[in-house]
Amino acid sequence: MEASTATTTTTSARAQPFGQTEINWDKLDKTKFYVVGAGIFTGVTVALYPMSVIKTRLQVATKDTVEKNAFSVIRGLLKSDGIPGLYRGFGTVITGAIPARIIFLTALETTKVAAFKMIEPLNLSEAPQAAVANGIAGMTSSLFSQSVFVPIDVVSQKLMVQGYSGHERYKGGIDVVRKIVRSDGIRGLYRGFGLSVMTYSPSSAVWWASYGSSQRIIWRFLGYGTDAEPAAPSDSKIVAVQASGGIIAGATASCITTPLDTIKTRLQVMGHERKSTARQVVKTLVKDDGWTGLYKGLGPRFVSMSAWGTSMILAYEYLKRLCAKDE
């Protein structure tokens, strides 16, 4: 997945654990990667989707809302709708997630290879090199996928908060689309697009930069990449390092980007009769809750991004091993 071959014996020895654990894009069976990947990522989405619903509800809650924390949101949803309440908007998300994921992963892998080659003359050490290349790839792939993801995000979030804190009720995803287009035209489906780009692109850059660099730091801590390098890592050790990298990446990204995500979510779920600017949303949040209002939903988002990140990256790395072409 990383830069192709090392230019020197020293670099090659230093990168040995990654040569054993990472698979380049050109070594993958693309058809199998996309088909099997759709099934794997759908399963992960089913397992973790409720966290997105809880986070979104907390972010749009007003000062008069009774449900002030994640547990009260869960209780309210289960009481009113049962388990299906935790999956509001799921159909819309899963429909758009597959094409968005294909765009994201293709852009991620191809850009990552190019980024490593581009920064190679800088002669950076492993961790900074991985952070820069992975960060560039994460940001670029997010920019490409936002064209599909933002409309899905707008529709699903309206379904997540319908009937909550004064928000309108809908008959389903199609009903949401029809009402948005009727009031605001097609551009209504891209409400908050600028903030989405500002939120998800840096978030993706931070996530992938943290993931790439933290892995290298962990491997070095375990003795790999040093003169006294141990034997090749076992599968369980590889998975443990990748999972640790996913947790660190999710925690870092959630702490840095939650304020932008809160503002974006509020803008996207507002009805056409309550249009506001990003500045007005910030003023309202600060007036009602102080500056901590910008971090509404940080707990669920922290858990969500860490859980999503760890689950997705383990599924992703497993998928790449599964779809690797035989030499």
Side-chain angles (χ1 to χ4, degrees):
M1 181 162 83
E2 313 286 5
S4 27
T5 17
T7 53
T8 65
T9 307
T10 304
T11 306
S12 180
R14 204 188 305 147
Q16 188 177 355
F18 310 109
Q20 296 168 348
T21 65
E22 298 183 2
I23 301 167
N24 288 337
W25 180 243
D26 59 352
K27 301 297 183 183
L28 294 177
D29 179 335
K30 307 299 190 299
T31 302
K32 187 176 181 182
F33 180 79
Y34 290 133
V35 173
V36 177
I40 289 177
F41 288 122
T42 296
V44 174
T45 304
V46 170
L48 299 175
Y49 187 79
M51 292 184 189
S52 296
V53 176
I54 296 164
K55 174 203 68 101
T56 300
R57 288 202 155 211
L58 285 174
Q59 288 180 327
V60 302
T62 64
K63 60 181 180 180
D64 300 320
T65 304
V66 176
E67 297 168 353
K68 297 292 186 182
N69 55 58
F71 295 109
S72 59
V73 170
I74 294 171
R75 279 198 305 269
L77 282 168
L78 293 177
K79 184 178 180 180
S80 60
D81 300 309
I83 296 295
L86 296 172
Y87 286 88
R88 287 187 173 187
F90 179 78
T92 301
V93 167
I94 209 63
T95 300
I98 293 175
R101 190 74 62 188
I102 288 173
I103 294 171
F104 182 90
L105 293 179
T106 303
L108 176 76
E109 289 294 341
T110 53
T111 306
K112 192 183 295 181
V113 173
F116 266 100
K117 290 179 180 177
M118 181 179 68
I119 65 174
E120 192 174 9
L122 299 178
N123 293 319
L124 300 174
S125 58
E126 283 180 57
Q129 183 186 51
V132 173
N134 280 272
I136 291 172
M139 178 172 284
T140 304
S141 55
S142 180
L143 286 171
F144 278 108
S145 62
Q146 288 308 305
S147 59
V148 176
F149 183 73
V150 170
I152 298 301
D153 205 25
V154 170
V155 175
S156 65
Q157 286 181 342
K158 281 184 174 288
L159 290 172
M160 287 178 190
V161 302
Q162 61 177 326
Y164 177 73
S165 194
H167 290 280
E168 185 177 354
R169 285 192 172 276
Y170 301 95
K171 297 176 182 177
I174 295 177
D175 185 39
V176 175
V177 172
R178 186 170 59 246
K179 288 182 177 179
I180 290 174
V181 173
R182 184 188 302 155
S183 63
D184 298 316
I186 295 296
R187 67 178 184 177
L189 293 172
Y190 284 87
R191 186 169 177 80
F193 180 79
L195 270 174
S196 288
V197 170
M198 288 174 61
T199 300
Y200 289 120
S201 294
S203 179
S204 182
V206 170
W207 198 98
W208 285 98
S210 300
Y211 177 69
S213 58
S214 63
Q215 273 198 96
R216 280 152 178 78
I217 292 170
I218 294 170
W219 280 123
R220 186 166 287 279
F221 177 78
L222 294 175
Y224 291 90
T226 62
D227 294 335
E229 188 165 309
S234 63
D235 288 344
S236 59
K237 183 176 286 188
I238 292 171
V239 170
V241 170
Q242 290 171 343
S244 299
I247 293 171
I248 293 169
T252 305
S254 63
C255 290
I256 292 174
T257 60
T258 289
L260 282 173
D261 188 58
T262 301
I263 298 166
K264 172 196 71 71
T265 300
R266 287 205 162 205
L267 282 173
Q268 289 179 331
V269 301
M270 285 177 178
H272 64 277
E273 73 285 351
R274 294 190 295 172
K275 290 179 182 176
S276 295
T277 64
R279 178 178 293 184
Q280 289 170 330
V281 170
V282 172
K283 283 183 177 179
T284 301
L285 282 167
V286 173
K287 180 182 177 182
D288 290 347
D289 301 292
W291 288 103
T292 57
L294 293 171
Y295 281 87
K296 279 193 169 188
L298 173 62
R301 190 163 195 259
F302 179 91
V303 174
S304 177
M305 286 195 75
S306 297
W308 271 98
T310 304
S311 302
M312 285 293 185
I313 203 61
L314 290 180
Y316 174 63
E317 299 286 10
Y318 168 75
L319 177 64
K320 289 179 70 176
R321 291 194 295 272
L322 188 67
C323 299
K325 295 176 182 176
D326 295 328
E327 295 292 343

